[in-house]
Amino acid sequence: MARFRPAVGEGTRSRLLEDLRRALKNAAGPAPSPDLALEIVVGLMLQALSAFAERRVSRDDREPTLAALLRALGADGRRIRSTLARLPKPALMSKAAQPAPRRQGAPETGSGRNGRGRRSVA
């Protein structure tokens, strides 16, 4: 969205940066700078959203993804568990939105990528 609507993207980044500045003040241990934290959040979320959209990971990976992001920002285990406990439960997904099951006996191909940077679907 930021590519097509730069003002919206810049506003969102600005608000996220301010949220990160506030959150990092309460970090238990060493924490990244707010600017680095912003890049960590954006990078991890873009990659995770791509993996969810391409069904390389399932909705069951939602909480581990958020836990990894919080760990990368310096949150301790107690804070991560507390944050995850407050998340709303995901709505039931339609069958079409769930990852396709892998076929049994499907041959593995190298790294699992199809030459365009995407995983091959068996």
Side-chain angles (χ1 to χ4, degrees):
M1 184 171 171
R3 288 185 186 152
F4 302 106
R5 305 283 297 206
V8 172
E10 199 49 47
T12 301
R13 285 179 69 90
S14 176
R15 286 189 299 278
L16 177 57
L17 185 58
E18 187 54 39
D19 288 345
L20 289 167
R21 282 190 180 112
R22 281 195 302 270
L24 292 171
K25 285 181 184 177
N26 301 320
S33 70
D35 291 324
L36 177 56
L38 177 72
E39 298 305 324
I40 290 169
V41 169
V42 170
L44 191 121
M45 290 310 301
L46 287 174
Q47 182 60 37
L49 290 171
S50 173
F52 284 116
E54 293 175 3
R55 298 183 184 153
R56 295 188 315 250
V57 296
S58 78
R59 71 180 184 155
D60 295 335
D61 294 311
R62 177 182 85 135
E63 289 187 13
T65 299
L66 293 171
L69 188 148
L70 293 169
R71 258 191 311 280
L73 296 176
D76 62 21
R78 182 189 55 75
R79 188 167 187 185
I80 292 170
R81 285 187 301 278
S82 171
T83 300
L84 294 178
R86 293 190 312 264
L87 288 176
K89 298 297 177 209
L92 294 176
M93 293 172 51
S94 70
K95 198 163 182 89
Q98 295 179 5
R102 294 186 187 262
R103 291 186 316 184
Q104 290 184 331
E108 290 292 324
T109 56
S111 68
R113 304 242 176 226
N114 68 6
R116 292 180 298 210
R118 293 188 177 158
R119 289 199 176 272
S120 300
V121 177

